[in-house]
């Protein structure tokens, strides 16, 4: 065979002769998998990416914080103050009630009778003491000496001793003044506090009425406010109903010019003897 008459076969694809741009579009379309049958006809929406915007934090106003703190502190202060006030008022009422019960004899009407129950109490004052003796005879001897010097006195027995008092007062300074006056008359004395002891007892009639009224006078040291007319009524009633009452002897011993407050001692001693 002649070499000049060689036969050549070409395998070039027809597509090589096509437009390269059109071929690229076809390849790109073929590589994407359709999600559904109609996706080929549905227009694609472009994706929009948004950048996150960081919100600016608002700072709390310092004035608002101060106002809130101040209001809270005021509310707490008012609450604590109210609680302390209630506690103080409660304690004050209890103290005043306790003092009132211990200072004045408590009286109570007994049902079904005219008896009056006198409760225990402590009536206090200051006394001017001229002496204390182990026997009543010795006390009376000194009492007579004082009477000769125009000095009033009273013998008060307690715990086996006989006290000789020549004056009384509601305060220590008042008793010291009486003692100073007696000292100018060469009468030696001693000032000290004195408590009238009473016990729970039941009284009747005029004695019960007198005990209730005299308890207030003794506690306030105001026996000078008891009128002479009222005192004479008590004397007449006691002479008729209870001639052995210590109050009768006390009223009969009263002094018109009571410079040493001896009437308080007479009545207080009668109160102690009546309620023992």
């Amino acid at each position: 065979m002649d070499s000049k008459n060689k036969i050549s076969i070409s395998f070039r694809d027809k597509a090589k002769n096509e437009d390269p741009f059109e071929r690229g579009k076809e390849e790109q379309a073929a590589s994407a998998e359709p999600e559904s049958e109609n996706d080929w006809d549905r227009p694609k929406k472009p994706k929009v990416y948004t950048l996150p915007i960081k919100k600016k934090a608002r700072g709390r106003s310092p004035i608002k914080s101060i106002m809130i703190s101040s209001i809270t502190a005021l509310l707490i202060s008012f609450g604590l103050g109210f609680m302390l006030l209630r506690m103080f008022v409660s304690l004050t009422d209890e103290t005043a009630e306790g003092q009132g019960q211990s200072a004045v004899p408590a009286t109570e009407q007994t049902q079904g009778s005219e008896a009056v129950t006198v409760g225990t109490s402590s009536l206090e004052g200051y006394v001017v003491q001229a002496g204390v003796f182990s026997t009543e005879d010795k006390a009376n001897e000194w009492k007579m000496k004082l009477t000769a010097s125009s000095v009033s006195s009273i013998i008060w027995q307690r715990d086996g001793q006989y006290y000789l008092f020549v004056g009384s007062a509601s305060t220590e300074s008042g008793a010291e003044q009486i003692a100073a006056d007696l000292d100018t008359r060469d009468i030696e004395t001693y000032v000290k506090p004195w408590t009238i002891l009473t016990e729970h007892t039941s009284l009747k009639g005029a004695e019960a009425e007198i005990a209730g009224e005299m308890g207030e006078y003794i506690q306030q040291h105001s026996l000078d406010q008891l009128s002479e007319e009222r005192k004479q009524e008590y004397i007449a009633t006691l002479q008729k109903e209870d001639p052995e009452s210590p109050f009768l002897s006390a009223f009969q011993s009263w002094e018109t010019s009571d410079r040493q407050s001896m009437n308080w001692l007479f009545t207080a001693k009668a109160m102690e003897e009546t309620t023992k």
Side-chain angles (χ1 to χ4, degrees), residues 39-153:
D39 282 349
W40 294 103
D41 300 329
R42 185 180 302 173
K44 296 283 185 175
K45 291 184 179 181
K47 293 184 179 181
V48 180
Y49 295 92
T50 57
L51 295 176
I53 300 175
K54 188 175 182 180
K55 293 184 179 180
K56 187 176 181 181
R58 294 183 179 179
R60 180 176 293 181
S61 174
I63 298 177
K64 186 175 180 181
S65 300
I66 293 173
M67 290 180 63
I68 293 175
S69 301
S70 301
I71 293 173
T72 304
L74 285 174
L75 292 175
I76 294 174
S77 299
F78 284 137
L80 292 175
F82 180 72
M83 292 176 62
L84 291 174
L85 179 62
R86 290 192 61 183
M87 291 174 62
F88 176 77
V89 172
S90 178
L91 290 173
T92 303
D93 292 342
E94 291 177 1
T95 302
E97 183 180 356
Q99 290 178 347
Q101 290 178 351
S102 63
V104 181
T107 57
E108 177 183 306
Q109 189 70 29
T110 305
Q111 295 181 356
S113 68
E114 297 180 354
V116 174
T117 301
V118 179
T120 58
S121 63
S122 295
L123 304 176
E124 299 178 349
Y126 288 88
V127 297
V128 183
Q129 179 177 302
V132 57
F133 308 93
S134 59
T135 63
E136 187 175 6
D137 291 339
K138 194 66 175 179
N140 280 320
E141 181 181 341
W142 277 90
K143 179 178 173 60
M144 292 174 63
K145 292 180 180 180
L146 291 172
T147 302
S149 300
S150 301
V151 176
S152 299
S153 61

Side-chain angles (χ1 to χ4, degrees), residues 9-17:
I9 299 173
S10 178
F11 292 94
R12 286 187 301 175
D13 194 355
K14 181 182 179 179
K16 289 184 178 180
N17 298 324

Side-chain angles (χ1 to χ4, degrees), residues 158-256:
R158 181 182 289 181
D159 299 330
Q161 299 290 322
Y162 296 87
Y163 297 89
L164 186 61
F165 297 143
V166 292
S168 71
S170 60
T171 62
E172 186 176 8
S173 60
E176 291 285 359
Q177 183 60 49
I178 296 174
D181 293 340
L182 293 172
D183 186 59
T184 60
R185 301 163 65 178
D186 296 328
I187 300 175
E188 295 182 0
T189 57
Y190 171 71
V191 174
K192 68 177 183 181
W194 189 255
T195 301
I196 295 87
L197 306 178
T198 61
E199 298 178 0
H200 199 78
T201 187
S202 180
L203 304 176
K204 294 182 179 181
E207 195 170 46
E209 181 182 355
I210 293 172
E213 186 174 347
M214 290 300 105
E216 297 181 4
Y217 283 119
I218 295 171
Q219 191 270 334
Q220 299 173 6
H221 288 259
S222 59
L223 286 166
D224 56 337
Q225 298 180 7
L226 182 65
S227 65
E228 181 66 22
E229 181 181 2
R230 184 64 168 169
K231 186 189 72 172
Q232 293 299 329
E233 290 178 1
Y234 281 148
I235 291 175
T237 302
L238 289 172
Q239 286 176 337
K240 181 179 179 180
E241 296 183 9
D242 193 357
E244 301 298 326
S245 172
F247 283 112
L248 178 58
S249 176
F251 290 139
Q252 291 174 340
S253 300
W254 268 35
E255 299 181 353
T256 304

